[in-house]
């Protein structure tokens, strides 16, 4: 799969998929895509169930779901696929190559780009049907376990079980075409993407590379393209202990302070600890008591503690599991202080050599004394907000050069333990300039999109995929050249592109026209999202952990979304971190005894909340008036997308959260609300199917369902037990569960559970 970018220093060679269907490579043209298995006598159900051996039918799978999908999808746009473009020699073996796949994707966009910005209505259903068949088949096959894999195959990238290698190539191709389809028809209403399961063979490659599947789950990496790419990262070298992890949870970065050991720069180093704060010598505490931020510098022998005042300083950000913490003393090994000072100094290359740059590090700048520690924690947000730079140290980045491709740097940042921890979210969101330390230098991640685009702009990629324009170009190739020749702002930056553009303009005096501009916009807008998934996933993930939108309850959606899936060795710290990010003084939270009371205190410190918070299906506070509120924002299964919904915010009261502008269904008093399964209800003249029922409390006396979306769509729903009404204007309901609601229209011939009263959005609900 050589259309993927190649990571530096991969743990394994590039996967080579054997070309197996020489005898049948032209036979697909005779049949339609979905009928191909029956024409060649293969029972797909038996293959998916394991009754037929996957490896024995690898050639069939490749002919149908790889080459057949290519021919079918591109053929809808009359784009003929030359099978030879996807075959290469490796030694004495024929293998599948996707090196020219990006060129076909570009021509696909060009073929479907017509005035009016709408794809030919006859094409879309055919493409979607093909991808749907490929998707459902591949998802069933993905569950088949892989047998023994030889060390020779791992070392050479060739010789893996053929059926599994082919299946992985099918999954990666299908996902790419599915994403690309959204780019081709992006002017249409948003399309629902298919969900592509990652195969057992793909998971084998990940685990063989040292990955913990629980860590990937917590990172939220589920896309096959990204899983395949990161499976080339060497995670074995990190030497993390994953013995207590599961497929859904990684505990390798959790620490136990009772047995924690601060690490030296090298395993053999035995240098002394440099103590910054101790009994009888408390320079850090003195600065904190003055209301300032303590910062330090190290001259190689002693530590200078000073007040930040107006002094520029660097705040360090790290995960304790890498060994830079110390729960017993405000001290660090001399070698670590020397290393940190050297890295901090490197951020200021023009400084005076004799003047070390001050820095802040929690291990030595947050005193262990309880009350003073509270003071330092309350000042944590100001510490990172006031720093001129924040430098992230993560062991997983230390083996990679900063001079590799920008998309690799972004993806390596995404995969760091740093992105999985609680406190680092605050440190990343509040930083004015955020640097990540790689092996040879530190990098500002915000600069990477510009670096990536410079190397991967449509202008540059056109030259790579199509070469120079010439009279023998196909009409679609000419259309691409015309589109890019209309972008004078870009082609003047590249000498080869400029020559190509002038050549095109001289041949086509009518260029640019409206179609040229339309195609240029499509190529430029969609090529990163649809055709370069590694870059797109890396950058979008970074943006979520970097940017905080608004203050107070306005910032909660971005903060909650970024907290999802994170962990802390001290889970009680979550509310402190959230409070500081919402500009709330955490003093009262610090005095609360446990996570539940701390969350209640945090909730009480705000009056308004995003109303869609009530629909998030996560464990709730089991307290009257607070059952709408989550126990934690870090639940990895939470879906906070709805928190960005515009409209009137929810208002906290003693009885619960008051929300408005939601439709709702009131069930009859005598109806026993099912605790599981699915059922159909009738409201007025329309029907709705209630699914994914999850009732937390038995014996609901008067059930109602509040809909997140209007009843004409698929929506999440909140089940409440009505216990009071305020003159018919406000209804009070105790949160008891969650459902999904699917609109069925005004025709339904099946069984109906009951009739419901549909309430308009003019009603308000108080969810407690």
């Amino acid at each position: 799969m050589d259309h993927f970018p190649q990571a530096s220093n991969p743990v394994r060679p590039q996967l080579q998929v054997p070309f197996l269907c020489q005898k049948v490579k032209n036979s697909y043209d005779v049949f339609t895509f979905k009928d191909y298995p029956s024409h060649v006598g293969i029972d797909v159900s038996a293959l998916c169930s394991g009754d037929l051996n996957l490896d024995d039918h690898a050639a069939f799978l490749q002919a149908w779901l790889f080459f057949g999908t290519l021919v079918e999808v591109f053929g809808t746009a009359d784009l003929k696929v030359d099978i030879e473009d996807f075959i290469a020699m490796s030694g004495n073996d024929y293998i599948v190559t996707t090196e020219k796949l990006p060129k076909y994707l570009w021509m696909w966009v060009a073929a479907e780009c017509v005035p009016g910005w709408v794809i030919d209505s006859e094409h879309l259903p055919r493409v979607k049907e093909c991808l749907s068949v490929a998707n459902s088949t591949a998802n069933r096959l993905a569950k088949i376990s892989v047998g023994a894999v030889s060390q020779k195959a791992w070392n050479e990238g060739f010789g893996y079980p053929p059926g599994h290698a082919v299946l992985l190539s099918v999954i990666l191709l299908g996902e790419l075409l599915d994403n690309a389809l959204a780019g081709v028809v992006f002017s249409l209403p948003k399309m629902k993407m298919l969900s592509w399961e990652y195969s057992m063979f793909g998971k084998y490659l990940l685990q063989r590379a040292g990955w913990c599947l629980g860590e990937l789950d917590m990172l939220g990496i589920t896309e096959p393209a990204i899983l395949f790419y990161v499976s080339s990262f060497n995670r074995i070298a990190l030497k993390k202990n994953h013995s207590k992890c599961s497929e859904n949870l990684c505990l390798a970065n959790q620490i136990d302070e009772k047995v924690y050991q601060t690490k030296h720069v090298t395993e053999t180093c035995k240098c002394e600890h440099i103590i910054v704060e101790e009994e009888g010598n408390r320079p850090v505490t003195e600065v904190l008591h003055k209301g300032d931020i303590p910062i330090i510098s190290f001259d190689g022998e002693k530590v200078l503690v000073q007040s930040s005042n107006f002094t520029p300083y660097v705040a360090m950000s790290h995960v304790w599991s890498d060994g830079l913490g110390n729960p017993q003393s405000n001290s660090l090994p001399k070698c670590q202080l020397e290393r940190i000072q050297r890295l901090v100094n490197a951020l200021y290359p023009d400084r005076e050599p004799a003047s070390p740059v001050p820095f802040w590090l929690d291990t030595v700048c947050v005193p262990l004394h309880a009350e003073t520690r509270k003071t330092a924690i309350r000042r944590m947000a100001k510490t990172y907000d006031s720093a001129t730079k924040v430098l992230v140290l993560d062991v997983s980045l230390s083996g990679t050069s900063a001079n590799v491709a920008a998309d690799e740097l972004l993806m390596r940042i995404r995969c760091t333990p740093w992105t999985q921890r609680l406190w680092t979210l605050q440190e990343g969101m509040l930083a004015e300039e955020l640097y990540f330390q790689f092996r040879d230098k530190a990098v500002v991640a915000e600069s990477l999109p510009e670096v990536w685009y410079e190397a991967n702009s449509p202008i540059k990629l056109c030259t790579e995929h199509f070469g120079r324009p010439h009279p023998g170009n196909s009409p679609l190739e000419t259309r691409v050249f015309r589109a890019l020749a209309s972008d004078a702002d870009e082609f003047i930056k590249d000498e080869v592109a400029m020559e190509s553009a002038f050549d095109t303009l001289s041949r086509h005096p009518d260029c640019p026209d409206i179609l040229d501009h339309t195609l240029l916009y499509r190529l430029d807008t969609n090529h990163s999202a649809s055709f370069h998934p590694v870059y797109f996933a890396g950058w979008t993930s970074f943006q979520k952990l970097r940017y905080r939108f608004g203050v107070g309850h306005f910032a909660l959606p971005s903060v909650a979304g970024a907290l999802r899936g994170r962990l802390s060795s001290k889970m009680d710290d979550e509310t402190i971190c959230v409070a500081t990010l919402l500009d709330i003084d955490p003093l009262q939270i610090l005095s609360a005894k446990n996570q539940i009371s701390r969350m209640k205190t945090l909730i009480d410190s705000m009056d308004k909340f995003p109303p869609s918070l009530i629909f998030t299906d996560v464990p709730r506070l089991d307290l009257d008036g607070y059952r709408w509120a989550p126990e934690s924002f870090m639940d990895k299964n939470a879906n906070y997308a709805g928190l960005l919904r515009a409209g009137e915010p929810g208002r906290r009261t003693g009885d619960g959260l008051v929300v408005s502008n939601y439709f709702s269904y009131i069930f009859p008093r005598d109806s026993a609300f099912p605790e599981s399964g699915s059922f159909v209800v009738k409201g007025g003249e329309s029907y709705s199917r209630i699914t994914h029922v999850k009732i937390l409390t038995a014996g609901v006396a008067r059930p109602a369902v509040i809909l997140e979306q209007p009843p004409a769509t698929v929506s999440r729903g909140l089940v409440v037990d009505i216990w009071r009404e305020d003159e018919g204007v406000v209804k009070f309901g105790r949160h008891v569960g969650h459902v999904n609601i699917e609109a069925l229209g005004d025709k339904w011939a099946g069984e109906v559970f009951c009739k419901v009263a549909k309430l308009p959005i003019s009603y308000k609900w108080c969810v407690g």
Side-chain angles (χ1 to χ4, degrees):
M1 305 304 290
D2 40 353
H3 66 283
F4 277 94
Q6 299 301 304
S8 60
N9 300 315
V11 70
R12 58 169 175 79
Q14 182 177 332
L15 175 68
Q16 294 186 339
V17 180
F19 175 67
L20 303 170
C21 47
Q22 181 70 36
K23 296 180 181 179
V24 295
K25 75 175 184 179
N26 297 317
S27 64
Y28 171 75
D29 294 335
V30 181
F31 311 115
T32 60
F33 178 79
K34 66 178 180 179
D35 296 331
Y36 182 75
S38 61
H39 280 284
V40 296
I42 301 295
D43 185 344
V44 175
S45 296
L47 184 62
C48 293
S49 65
D51 292 339
L52 296 179
N53 185 275
L54 182 61
D55 291 329
D56 292 343
H57 294 79
F60 155 74
L61 193 66
Q62 190 175 78
W64 179 37
L65 292 185
F66 189 86
F67 289 106
T69 298
L70 284 172
V71 171
E72 183 77 1
V73 169
F74 292 136
T76 61
D78 296 325
L79 181 58
K80 185 172 177 58
V81 174
D82 184 350
I83 300 298
E84 299 295 335
D85 283 344
F86 294 89
I87 305 171
M89 287 292 295
S90 177
N92 297 321
D93 300 299
Y94 285 102
I95 63 170
V96 173
T97 175
T98 53
E99 184 179 3
K100 294 184 179 179
L101 179 58
K103 179 179 179 179
Y104 278 85
L105 294 173
W106 278 48
M107 290 195 292
W108 187 24
V109 175
E112 297 292 7
C113 184
V114 295
W117 298 61
V118 178
I119 193 172
D120 186 330
S121 60
E122 296 180 0
H123 294 178
L124 183 58
R126 182 177 162 191
V127 173
K128 291 179 68 176
E129 181 185 34
C130 169
L131 292 177
S132 180
V133 170
N135 174 256
S136 61
T137 306
N139 283 354
R140 286 184 289 167
L141 292 171
K143 297 177 174 61
I144 298 177
S145 59
V146 62
V149 176
S150 69
Q151 184 65 40
K152 185 173 184 290
W154 175 260
N155 292 340
E156 297 179 359
F158 187 80
Y160 289 112
H164 289 277
V166 169
L167 174 60
L168 183 55
S169 70
V170 167
I171 293 170
L172 296 172
L173 174 67
E175 182 192 38
L176 177 62
L177 294 176
D178 189 29
N179 289 336
L181 179 61
V184 170
V185 299
F186 76 101
S187 58
L188 296 179
K190 186 176 181 181
M191 297 178 57
K192 183 179 180 181
M193 297 292 98
L194 298 169
S195 176
W196 296 84
E197 297 289 334
Y198 204 47
S199 68
M200 295 299 291
F201 174 60
K203 292 179 180 179
Y204 161 81
L205 295 179
L206 286 164
Q207 291 177 302
R208 184 74 182 266
W211 275 101
C212 168
L213 297 183
E215 182 179 15
L216 289 165
D217 188 60
M218 293 174 64
L219 283 167
I221 298 179
T222 58
E223 312 96 312
I226 310 306
L227 291 170
F228 178 70
Y229 178 74
V230 302
S231 70
S232 65
F233 290 3
N234 185 356
R235 303 294 279 195
I236 300 173
L238 300 183
K239 299 179 181 179
K240 297 283 186 177
N241 180 6
H242 294 284
S243 60
K244 297 181 180 180
C245 303
S246 67
E247 286 199 7
N248 306 112
L249 182 65
C250 177
L251 299 173
N253 295 306
Q254 297 292 84
I255 64 166
D256 182 350
E257 291 188 354
K258 296 178 181 178
V259 296
Y260 184 89
Q261 291 187 342
T262 304
K263 294 181 180 179
H264 291 256
V265 173
T266 63
E267 293 182 0
T268 58
C269 181
K270 304 294 183 183
C271 68
E272 63 177 332
H273 270 239
I274 304 296
I275 299 174
V276 178
E277 173 104 343
E278 61 182 336
E279 190 69 36
N281 179 31
R282 299 195 179 279
V284 172
T285 298
E286 291 177 10
V287 174
L288 287 169
H289 284 170
K290 293 177 182 178
D292 294 331
I293 297 168
I295 54 178
I296 69 170
S297 55
F298 185 59
D299 63 5
E301 295 297 331
K302 62 181 183 299
V303 172
L304 171 65
V305 179
Q306 64 185 98
S307 171
S308 61
N309 286 330
F310 299 102
T311 304
Y313 67 93
V314 176
M316 309 303 294
S317 180
H318 66 105
V319 293
W320 272 47
S321 60
D322 282 348
L324 269 181
N326 190 340
Q328 308 302 326
S329 169
N330 290 123
S331 68
L332 276 177
K334 180 180 179 181
C335 62
Q336 290 286 17
L337 287 172
E338 289 176 336
R339 179 178 74 101
I340 293 170
Q341 187 66 72
R342 183 175 65 254
L343 296 176
V344 168
N345 289 345
L347 298 179
Y348 294 86
D350 298 328
R351 68 178 181 86
E352 291 291 332
S355 302
V357 178
F359 63 91
W360 183 96
L361 177 68
D362 59 350
T363 307
V364 292
C365 294
V366 177
L368 298 180
H369 183 266
E371 290 305 314
T372 313
R373 186 176 186 82
K374 286 183 181 180
T375 301
I377 291 174
R378 290 177 65 192
R379 212 162 292 162
M380 195 79 78
K382 183 179 179 181
T383 298
Y384 282 94
D385 190 49
S386 301
T388 52
K389 304 177 192 293
V390 172
L391 178 61
V392 175
L393 302 181
D394 191 290
V395 169
S396 68
L397 301 179
S398 61
T400 301
S401 169
N403 296 315
V404 303
D407 47 7
E408 179 179 345
L409 294 179
L410 284 168
M411 189 52 61
R412 288 193 181 274
I413 289 172
R414 181 183 183 183
C415 293
T416 57
W418 183 86
T419 64
Q420 304 168 45
R421 309 305 294 173
L422 169 64
W423 281 105
T424 55
L425 174 63
Q426 173 188 249
E427 296 155 13
M429 278 191 165
L430 296 178
E432 181 177 349
E433 291 186 29
L434 184 63
Y435 287 76
F436 290 85
Q437 184 66 49
F438 287 87
R439 185 179 66 220
D440 40 8
K441 66 178 180 180
V443 170
V444 180
E446 276 91 348
S447 68
L448 294 177
E450 183 178 351
V451 174
W452 181 86
Y453 191 84
E454 184 177 344
N456 296 276
S457 68
I459 290 287
K460 286 188 177 294
L461 294 182
C462 177
T463 303
E464 178 182 328
H465 299 320
F466 294 87
R468 295 284 294 273
H470 56 82
N473 285 131
S474 69
L476 287 180
E477 291 173 336
T478 298
R479 184 177 289 189
V480 171
F481 280 119
R482 284 179 57 118
L484 297 178
S486 68
D487 190 6
D489 290 339
E490 282 298 319
F491 72 63
I492 60 173
K493 301 176 184 177
D494 185 276
E495 183 177 348
V496 175
M498 186 185 301
E499 292 176 0
S500 295
F502 287 153
D503 196 4
T504 299
L505 293 170
S506 66
R507 285 200 183 97
H508 304 279
D510 63 326
C511 179
D513 60 19
I514 187 171
L515 189 59
D516 297 326
H517 287 300
T518 300
L519 178 55
L520 174 65
Y521 180 79
R522 287 199 179 192
L523 291 173
D524 194 41
T525 302
N526 293 282
H527 88 289
S528 63
S530 301
F531 305 158
H532 298 273
V534 173
Y535 164 75
F536 185 73
W539 176 237
T540 53
S541 174
F542 176 78
Q543 288 178 300
K544 291 178 183 177
L545 64 88
R546 183 72 173 97
Y547 300 115
R548 177 182 57 153
F549 301 101
V551 295
H553 75 275
F554 292 108
L556 187 57
S558 54
V559 171
L563 278 170
R564 178 182 173 273
R566 289 180 179 249
L567 278 180
S568 173
S569 298
K570 297 180 179 179
M571 296 300 286
D572 290 357
D573 285 353
E574 176 191 359
T575 47
I576 303 170
C577 182
V578 173
T580 57
L581 284 170
L582 300 183
D583 298 320
I584 296 170
D585 187 340
L587 177 60
Q588 290 185 322
I589 296 173
L590 285 164
S591 301
K593 296 180 180 180
N594 53 46
Q595 170 70 0
I596 300 300
S597 58
R598 284 188 169 190
M599 182 60 76
K600 180 180 180 298
T601 304
L602 174 66
I603 297 299
D604 287 342
S605 66
M606 293 186 285
D607 295 323
K608 297 178 180 179
F609 293 83
S612 285
L613 187 62
I614 64 175
F615 297 104
T616 305
D617 185 8
V618 294
R620 303 276 168 165
L621 292 177
D622 191 17
L623 300 170
D624 289 340
Y626 293 87
R627 290 186 177 87
W628 56 272
E631 284 186 0
S632 169
F633 290 104
M634 295 195 291
D635 192 305
K636 66 183 178 63
N637 297 314
N639 179 1
Y640 293 118
L643 298 191
L644 295 173
R645 176 180 180 266
E648 183 180 351
R651 178 171 52 86
R652 182 182 61 82
T653 69
D655 291 315
L657 190 70
V658 178
V659 298
S660 58
N661 297 318
Y662 291 113
F663 290 94
S664 52
Y665 295 160
I666 306 294
F667 284 67
R669 287 181 180 273
D670 57 352
S671 63
F673 199 94
E675 296 183 12
S676 61
S678 64
F679 55 93
V680 173
V681 298
K682 183 179 182 181
E685 299 301 319
S686 61
Y687 298 87
S688 298
R689 178 182 285 112
I690 310 292
T691 63
H692 297 82
V693 178
K694 183 179 179 182
I695 301 301
L696 307 175
T697 304
V700 180
R702 194 180 179 197
V705 174
I706 306 172
L707 284 69
E708 184 177 21
Q709 301 293 338
T713 61
V714 177
S715 173
R716 294 188 296 181
L718 178 74
V719 184
V720 296
D721 190 357
I722 301 175
W723 62 275
R724 188 177 116 202
E725 295 184 52
D726 184 2
E727 298 179 356
V729 178
V730 179
K731 294 185 179 294
F732 294 78
R734 184 168 57 93
H735 167 264
V736 294
H738 295 268
V739 295
N740 283 358
I741 305 101
E742 177 187 358
L744 299 176
D746 58 1
K747 292 181 174 59
W748 173 254
E751 182 180 351
V752 175
F753 174 71
C754 68
K755 291 184 178 181
V756 297
K758 297 174 65 174
L759 298 187
I761 61 175
S762 56
Y763 280 85
K764 293 184 178 182
W765 283 93
C766 181
V767 180

